[in-house]
Amino acid sequence: MTSLTRENVETVALRAGLLNSGEKIVRYELEPYSESKAGILGQHQLLRVQISDQTRTSATHKSFFVKSLSDESTAIAQLMDGIFIEETHFFDKVLTTLSRTCRHEKWLPTCYLVQPKQLVFEDLRAQGFSIRESFPLNETDIRSALSSLAELHAYSLMFEGQSSKKLTEIFPNAFKERVFTSGHKYGEIIALGFKTIELMARKLGLDSNLVPEIMRRVYESVRPAKDARVPNVICHSDLWKNNLMFDQSQPPKCVLVDFQLLRYASPSIDVGMLLYINSTPDFRKKMESQMIEHYYEALRHAISRSDAEIVLPSCEALKEDWQKRRIVGMTYACMYLPGHYLKKEKSDLLMNDPKILEKWLFKDRFGLISKAIDEDPIYKERMTAIVSDLIEEEKHLSLAV
């Protein structure tokens, strides 16, 4: 893991507006950000900086969040190395370019230092932001997360509204599909994910023969949309609960973190992932249409701040596109939630034991899942709900063709 030099720390302090005339850094230190991992692919630390000058009797203390690549030569480290570059490029190049012409509300953390193997951000935790311990998210949190997601999507729409080029033309090496593809290490994880879905369906008495067609449909759906009525946007593409941080205000503000799996696609992909991973089937049954409308109004509001002439898709067109692509969100749920809904001691091991996590990601997930289905009726009920949703959606889409 790359260490921070004093020069690095001084750069961070200057960009954070901490070093005025006569002030200097007295000391700085790195410590673990938390006892357990907040994410599965990076090394997280807290940078504490002490600043003082001759005119003050007390020093100023400030903390920053440091995200680094691991120096380990494991499959997970190789995976991280392949996607960390996406996040560094986003903060160093893409965001810098977009911010020259676009104003936005706070939906992401401020980044003060970008290095090939390290990023230094503001410490959101010190500002009262945290990951929700309770799961699934409640309606208020989902609305806040959808509002922040709309800010991200509006940001790229506002930029393209003022530019003569698409973002993919300006940044040809950004937003490459890294998840549903055979050309990336992450593709191995997804291939195993579909195999696991097939095994789950078979064990639960569902039609596993539809899984190959689901896979084909999902790979097609995440590509940039060709329907001119629905624009493509920068999609976050990793909207599980640990990448959503909320403050204590009412309603809470939500900040999105971890921009490693960006893609350029229909906004429905992100909306579907957010809803299907972070809410229950009952919630979606009652509130799905309202959540799409909430997202649409948040998108419209964000775009209204721009001076550019932006043609906003109609809410009806967005809902129609959502109906075609929400199967991607259902697929994400079938890949994320089996691990998340394991009993706490098992899910904690996945998050904190590299060997167990590596086996889960690249070799075998069904062993743990099958055992949990046999031993835990609630787990079985939850897995049945998400897998049957996916299978039934594929039946519905096949009949609609």
Side-chain angles (χ1 to χ4, degrees), residues 155-349:
Y155 207 43
S156 56
L157 290 176
M158 287 188 285
F159 178 81
E160 289 189 346
Q162 299 177 54
S163 173
S164 59
K165 295 182 178 180
K166 298 290 186 183
L167 281 164
T168 47
E169 297 176 80
I170 301 172
F171 303 105
N173 295 321
F175 319 122
K176 299 291 186 181
E177 181 59 43
R178 297 176 182 274
V179 178
F180 296 105
T181 176
S182 58
H184 189 271
K185 190 74 175 175
Y186 216 104
E188 296 179 27
I189 296 175
I190 296 303
L192 180 60
F194 277 110
K195 181 62 178 176
T196 304
I197 292 171
E198 187 174 350
L199 292 170
M200 290 169 64
R202 194 174 303 158
K203 183 175 181 67
L204 295 168
L206 303 169
D207 190 352
S208 62
N209 294 323
L210 292 174
V211 176
E213 182 58 25
I214 292 170
M215 183 175 179
R216 184 206 64 77
R217 192 183 299 279
V218 169
Y219 274 59
E220 178 66 28
S221 296
V222 298
R223 296 177 183 175
K226 297 178 181 179
D227 188 345
R229 297 178 304 159
V230 178
N232 293 298
V233 297
I234 298 174
C235 287
H236 183 282
S237 305
D238 196 14
L239 295 162
W240 71 304
K241 81 175 189 73
N242 280 24
N243 288 340
L244 307 171
M245 298 187 71
F246 300 88
D247 70 4
Q248 301 304 311
S249 60
Q250 292 298 327
K253 295 178 182 176
C254 176
V255 171
L256 312 177
V257 299
D258 277 0
F259 294 83
Q260 298 165 160
L261 297 173
L262 300 173
R263 61 165 61 96
Y264 186 74
S266 162
S268 298
I269 303 298
D270 262 358
V271 175
M273 185 179 193
L274 178 60
L275 287 179
Y276 276 90
I277 289 182
N278 298 289
S279 70
T280 65
D282 284 345
F283 176 85
R284 292 189 297 273
K285 184 177 181 179
K286 297 174 184 175
M287 302 295 294
E288 178 180 291
S289 181
Q290 291 183 45
M291 292 301 100
I292 303 302
E293 290 167 4
H294 172 81
Y295 164 81
Y296 181 81
E297 286 304 311
L299 183 68
R300 184 188 61 78
H301 176 72
I303 287 175
S304 71
R305 298 194 303 268
S306 174
D307 297 329
E309 292 186 7
I310 302 169
V311 179
L312 186 67
S314 68
C315 191
E316 290 71 23
L318 185 64
K319 285 184 175 181
E320 183 179 327
D321 185 72
W322 158 264
Q323 292 292 332
K324 295 177 182 177
R325 299 179 195 272
R326 66 179 180 178
I327 193 171
V328 180
M330 294 176 180
T331 301
Y332 272 123
C334 288
M335 293 190 179
Y336 276 70
L337 295 182
H340 185 81
Y341 277 127
L342 290 170
K343 290 190 173 178
K344 189 176 186 304
E345 60 270 20
K346 295 292 186 182
S347 61
D348 284 349
L349 279 175

Side-chain angles (χ1 to χ4, degrees), residues 86-100 114 170-171 174:
E86 183 79 53
E87 189 163 28
T88 58
H89 186 260
F90 175 71
F91 281 100
D92 189 39
K93 303 295 183 184
V94 178
L95 199 61
T96 301
T97 300
L98 268 61
S99 62
R100 290 172 187 160
V114 178
I170 301 172
F171 303 105

Side-chain angles (χ1 to χ4, degrees), residues 136-147:
L137 300 181
N138 61 36
E139 179 182 342
T140 301
D141 286 347
I142 289 175
R143 286 180 180 272
S144 296
L146 285 170
S147 294

